[in-house]
């Protein structure tokens, strides 16, 4: 393991208040989002959409790295330039989602475990040869009155740690993502408890698998009430609850925390990130950043709708969200920026 190189990559992903743009939707997920907007669900439209994102003018001023999917990392721009080359030429880092999705966890009704460890070492080596510099694996946890089970948390935490160790072995910075899903009626307090328990399990497993904490990026959910919960907390309450949970459970050796958006409205995700950074930045041991997919992409996707004529307006919307989130990293975002 080249510790210095891993630390340098992690640092580059967090530098200059930039963040990570996740565009690693599986074919299924991408098709679902296209279908909802009447966009044809074909490989050509998926390629065109990913080209729109990668070639957004000035995006490199706000985005340090892009997470790709296996289909996307092998694709090219219309002019034949490989996506990976276009990303590197713009001064951004290419990353790759390497898990094979969340599957039913045997013995645990309604719970999932993320699969993809078999053969992972060889897949990672191929991605490194293609130019990838970091990777992503996502474990998902559901909560309600009886879930999650300890078995589900333990299985996902162990898989994440084994993935992270394999990544570091080949020189990829692992993004360690454990997501407590927003779907449900759970309160913010339940979310805080489950997030805390999951993070504790993840860091215990990372320790057992000899993962170098200075060479990872943690990608957690913010601490939120479920979308169907009748009491929705304010931005300030979310910011405080999230930071309390992270300060208790994330070692200071971790260089950065980059939140997922999880289905929050784009602007709200920005406001919450901004509140954390503006109120608390000086006392935080790690950088507090973003690794959003929907909260950056969704407004742009809704404008694009698969039409070539809409590309400039869609790129403008994408750039606006990236820029707003960079401002939120500095605690300098204001609602006026949305006008
Ligand atoms: P969202 O920001 O849409 O939650 O996606 C982030 C991600 O990478 C999910 O795995």
């Amino acid at each position: 393991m080249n510790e210095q190189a891993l630390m340098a990559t992690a640092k580059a992903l967090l530098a200059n208040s930039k963040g990570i743009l996740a565009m690693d939707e599986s074919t299924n997920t991408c098709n679902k989002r296209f279908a909802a907007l009447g966009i044809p669900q074909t490989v050509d439209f998926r390629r065109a959409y990913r080209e729109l994102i990668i070639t957004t003018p000035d995006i490199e001023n706000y985005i340090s790295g892009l997470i790709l999917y296996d289909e996307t990392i092998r694709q090219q721009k219309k002019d034949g330039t490989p996506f990976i080359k276009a990303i590197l030429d713009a001064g951004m880092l290419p990353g790759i989602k390497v898990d094979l999705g969340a599957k039913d966890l045997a013995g645990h009704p309604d719970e999932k475990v993320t699969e993809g460890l078999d053969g992972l070492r060889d897949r990672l080596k191929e991605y490194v040869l293609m130019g990838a510099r970091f990777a992503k694996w996502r474990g998902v946890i559901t909560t309600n009155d009886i879930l999650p089970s300890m078995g589900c948390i333990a299985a996902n935490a162990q898989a994440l740690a084994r993935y992270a160790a394999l990544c570091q072995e080949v020189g990829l910075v692992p993004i360690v993502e454990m997501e407590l899903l927003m779907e449900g009626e759970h309160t913010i307090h339940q979310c805080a408890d489950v997030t805390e328990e999951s993070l504790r399990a993840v860091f215990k497993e990372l320790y057992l698998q000899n993962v170098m904490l200075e060479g990872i990026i943690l990608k957690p959910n913010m601490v939120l009430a479920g979308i169907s919960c009748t009491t929705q907390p304010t931005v300030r309450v979310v910011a405080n609850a999230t930071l309390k949970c992270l300060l208790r459970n994330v070692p200071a050796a971790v260089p950065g925390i980059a939140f997922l958006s999880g289905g929050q409205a784009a602007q709200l995700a920005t406001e919450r990130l901004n509140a954390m950074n503006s109120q608390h930045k000086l006392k935080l041991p790690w950088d507090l950043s973003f690794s959003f997919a929907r909260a950056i992409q969704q407004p742009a996707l809704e404008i694009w709708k698969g039409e070539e004529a809409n590309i400039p307006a869609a790129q403008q919307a994408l750039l606006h969200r990236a820029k707003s989130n960079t401002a939120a990293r500095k605690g300098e975002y204001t609602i006026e920026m949305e006008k």
Side-chain angles (χ1 to χ4, degrees):
M1 185 201 308
N2 183 336
E3 297 193 355
Q4 293 306 322
L6 287 168
M7 286 192 276
T9 301
K11 216 169 153 183
L13 286 168
L14 297 161
N16 302 320
S17 301
K18 297 181 194 179
I20 297 167
L21 199 169
M23 47 179 286
D24 60 332
E25 299 81 8
S26 65
T27 300
N28 249 348
T29 303
C30 188
N31 284 348
K32 268 190 223 155
R33 295 197 183 142
F34 278 13
L37 295 166
I39 302 166
Q41 296 111 65
T42 66
V43 66
D44 289 339
F45 275 86
R46 289 193 297 275
R47 194 211 61 76
Y49 178 55
R50 266 67 187 252
E51 176 165 349
L52 177 161
I53 296 176
I54 291 169
T55 60
T56 294
D58 296 330
I59 192 84
E60 67 277 7
N61 294 330
Y62 310 102
I63 297 297
S64 56
L66 297 155
I67 314 176
L68 309 173
Y69 179 60
D70 185 73
E71 177 180 88
T72 321
I73 199 169
R74 301 168 194 281
Q75 288 173 324
Q76 296 91 30
K77 286 169 48 182
K78 220 161 41 183
D79 68 9
T81 314
F83 279 169
I84 289 243
K85 181 170 164 27
I87 292 168
L88 289 167
D89 286 352
M92 299 182 285
L93 297 180
I96 178 75
K97 167 194 171 81
V98 300
D99 68 66
L100 299 179
K103 308 285 161 62
D104 289 343
L105 177 61
H108 295 79
D110 302 323
E111 295 196 294
K112 307 267 185 202
V113 65
T114 300
E115 295 188 352
L117 288 172
D118 288 352
L120 182 59
R121 179 179 271 125
D122 290 336
R123 288 198 291 125
L124 293 180
K125 284 183 188 157
E126 187 195 0
Y127 290 135
V128 168
L129 287 176
M130 292 168 88
R133 301 286 302 280
F134 67 104
K136 187 197 98 168
W137 177 292
R138 168 177 174 258
V140 281
I141 304 288
T142 304
T143 189
N144 57 32
D145 286 346
I146 48 171
L147 299 181
S149 66
M150 283 166 64
C152 176
I153 291 178
N156 278 294
Q158 205 215 25
L160 266 169
R162 289 191 54 205
Y163 137 83
L166 283 163
C167 283
Q168 291 193 335
E169 185 182 271
V170 298
L172 292 169
V173 165
I175 293 193
V176 174
E177 176 174 7
M178 187 73 132
E179 174 174 10
L180 171 58
L181 295 171
M182 265 172 68
E183 283 71 28
E185 296 175 358
H186 54 273
T187 63
I188 188 171
H189 306 293
Q190 270 171 282
C191 178
D193 287 348
V194 175
T195 303
E196 180 154 355
E197 209 174 318
S198 307
L199 289 175
R200 250 190 258 133
V202 166
F203 282 101
K204 178 178 162 218
E205 292 293 337
L206 290 173
Y207 168 73
L208 289 175
Q209 300 304 325
N210 289 331
V211 173
M212 184 192 54
L213 295 185
E214 292 84 351
I216 72 163
I217 291 179
L218 181 73
K219 179 162 172 170
N221 51 275
M222 294 184 193
V223 174
L224 308 167
I227 28 182
S228 308
C229 179
T230 45
T231 314
Q232 288 296 325
T234 62
V235 168
R236 183 174 284 257
V237 168
V238 167
N240 289 343
T242 303
L243 283 171
K244 181 175 174 186
C245 180
L246 295 173
L247 283 165
R248 284 180 170 184
N249 297 290
V250 183
V254 172
I257 295 174
F259 290 104
L260 59 94
S261 57
Q264 299 175 69
Q267 191 178 322
L268 200 49
T270 309
E271 284 176 42
R272 288 165 170 167
L273 178 63
N274 185 67
M276 286 182 231
N277 277 317
S278 64
Q279 293 173 53
H280 301 279
K281 195 163 186 173
L282 294 178
K283 66 170 191 201
L284 300 178
W286 1 255
D287 277 331
L288 219 46
S289 184
F290 58 92
S291 175
F292 297 156
R294 281 164 287 179
I296 295 183
Q297 289 184 42
Q298 195 59 27
L301 184 61
E302 287 169 16
I303 292 171
W304 177 55
K305 291 205 188 78
E307 303 284 341
E308 193 150 347
N310 296 338
I311 289 176
Q315 289 182 325
Q316 216 174 345
L318 191 85
L319 188 72
H320 174 64
R321 291 266 48 94
K323 198 173 176 176
S324 302
N325 285 309
T326 290
R329 276 207 59 188
K330 296 186 248 186
E332 292 171 1
Y333 168 79
T334 59
I335 303 287
E336 280 64 48
M337 289 177 68
E338 300 296 340
K339 286 181 187 147

